[in-house]
Amino acid sequence: MGKKGKKEKKGRGAEKTAAKMEKKVSKRSRKEEEDLEALIVHFQTLDARKTEVVETPCSPPSPRLNASLSAHPEKDELILFGGEYFNGQKTVLYNELYVYHIRKDTWTKVDIPSPPPRRCAHQAVMVPQGGGQLWVFGGEFASPNGEQFYHYKDLWVLHLATKTWEQVRSTGGPSGRSGHRMVAWKRQLILFGGFHESTRDYIYYNDVYAFNLDTFAWSKLSPAGTGPTPRSGCQMSVTPQGGIVLYGGYSKQRVKKDVDKGTRHSDMFLLKPEDGREDKWVWTRINPSGVKPTPRSGFSVAMAPNHQTLFSRGVCDEEEEENLEGEVFNYLYSYEATRNRWFAGQLKGPKSKKKKCRRGRKEEPEGGSKQACGRASAQGPVEVVKEVVAEDGTVVTIKQVLAAPGSVGQAQSEDEDSSEEASSPVPGPCPRSNAMLAVKHGMLYVYGGMFEAGDRQITLSDLHCLDLHRMEAWKALVEMDPETQEWLEETDSEEDSEEEVEGAEGGYEDEDSAEESSAED
């Protein structure tokens, strides 16, 4: 009884500390958010000019990260919403809606009256009801200088059949946040974690909320068991057995004044209804077998048709005091809930080149036997170097390490000869973080994201796809356009900083005016 009482007392103490911290953060950030609310209202005034749905064929969207990419439940389309872009001086937020038509390989910009305010790092979940609905919660808005943040706590639904946005107002929901995760579970939306940040303070969450799609009501869940510590940017997906699996994430804590220490989590948990009751949940820590991903942040997640969770890319930042160095990843992993096992992605390479070795053609060099082919397939990773010249003349070098076909991942099937010729690795999407992933008809799509080259942040606008059934090679649908890469050096004076803010606001207006003029033409 004594030990149990101590544990309960300790748990209540942690809850009180978290509540005090949230109150403190809320108080300090209120003034900042009031300033940003005026800017948000200004942009909403611009959006209010839209009075009817306008669909305009267009070129691929501009570079961005932390947007959402969702597969239409009925049509061969991908829906891209929101995101952000930073050019070294100015942060730009979007609330644009783009549709990628898969079969036609074309893009359409859809302007819909009364859209959600501009945001990034939100969560978007697609459900099949009513011809398809895209539910969007939270996210953040940043000032043009990127120093102030406003965290949304609003809930929106895009009715795809009628192309209308609707804000759903319901009390008792999560506080304002970004970097949270949300999934569709039966007739509910389940939301976990995230963070809230102001100029001076921040707080990470590990709370769980459910939104009922029938009653349009929020409820806060209190799962039993020991669950994940507060974090953002984790993996969250529904299992075939009706549970919700959660992996990894990122959080930070202050170790001394103006010095924070980040933590990349690599633990994994299962959230499921207890005894089949939808009003009672329980956390269980799990330890999958297989080839586990290395700890990272900024990774992307999508669900495959066979109920596998696809886990790709991300960055591992090595933090030491105020220095920050990062390694960007490009590997693809999948988690199979039925076997509770991780698998590393394996590209098999073009079949035609494999057959050439199996048949032992005469044009093989002397000694080009199965043994020689075995040596070829056992070769180490290959580094592909690509130079991109930006519009301002800056040369950016992209280095990508590719594993040789057949060198990683699951074991080869029995009908594949282990002595196949290893063809040269086919470059896919370059390493990146905060990219957008979606799966449609067994095809994995990767769009946008960013990576850092020295002090420069490269934001991407390329689109690639991979056939998950064949796993042969990535296909580039939209190549990275060097002309879209703009990078401006930072300025130090207050006068320059004020000009940047004004210029950023004007840029938004000019952008909208240009779009309207283009539509009229």
Side-chain angles (χ1 to χ4, degrees), residues 28 53 76 90 102 145 183-184 195 199 236 247 250 309 322 339 346-347 387 394 434 456 461 466 477 499 502:
R28 289 187 173 181
V53 178
D76 294 327
K90 181 176 64 178
I102 296 175
N145 61 12
V183 296
F195 73 97
T199 304
M236 192 174 178
Y247 168 79
Y250 177 85
T309 302
E322 297 182 358
R339 299 167 63 182
Q346 172 189 352
L347 296 186
E387 290 188 347
T394 304
N434 303 99
R456 178 176 179 146
S461 60
L466 174 67
L477 301 173
E499 289 178 359
E502 293 174 2

Side-chain angles (χ1 to χ4, degrees), residues 320-334:
E320 183 177 349
E321 293 295 328
E322 297 182 358
N323 295 324
L324 181 67
E325 292 184 1
E327 176 185 0
V328 187
F329 298 105
N330 200 38
Y331 300 111
L332 177 67
Y333 294 86
S334 66

Side-chain angles (χ1 to χ4, degrees), residues 23-40:
K23 186 176 181 180
K24 179 182 177 183
V25 171
S26 176
K27 184 178 180 181
R28 289 187 173 181
S29 62
R30 192 173 300 135
K31 179 62 171 65
E32 297 174 10
E33 294 193 344
E34 287 176 359
D35 295 339
L36 289 180
E37 280 179 357
L39 192 57
I40 293 172

Side-chain angles (χ1 to χ4, degrees), residues 53-61 77-80 96-101 104-111 163:
V53 178
V54 178
E55 300 183 51
T56 309
C58 63
S59 55
E77 297 176 349
L78 301 180
I79 313 297
L80 179 71
E96 301 168 324
L97 186 73
Y98 288 93
V99 177
Y100 175 67
H101 307 277
K104 297 179 181 178
D105 189 25
T106 59
W107 290 89
T108 298
K109 187 173 185 292
V110 185
D111 290 307
K163 293 184 174 62

Side-chain angles (χ1 to χ4, degrees), residues 86-92 143-147 488-508:
F86 178 62
N87 68 354
Q89 290 184 3
K90 181 176 64 178
T91 299
V92 180
S143 60
N145 61 12
E147 295 181 356
L488 306 177
E489 296 299 326
E490 293 185 30
T491 56
D492 298 324
S493 68
E494 291 185 9
E495 183 179 347
D496 289 341
S497 180
E498 290 176 2
E499 289 178 359
E500 288 169 18
V501 174
E502 293 174 2
E505 294 183 28
Y508 277 113

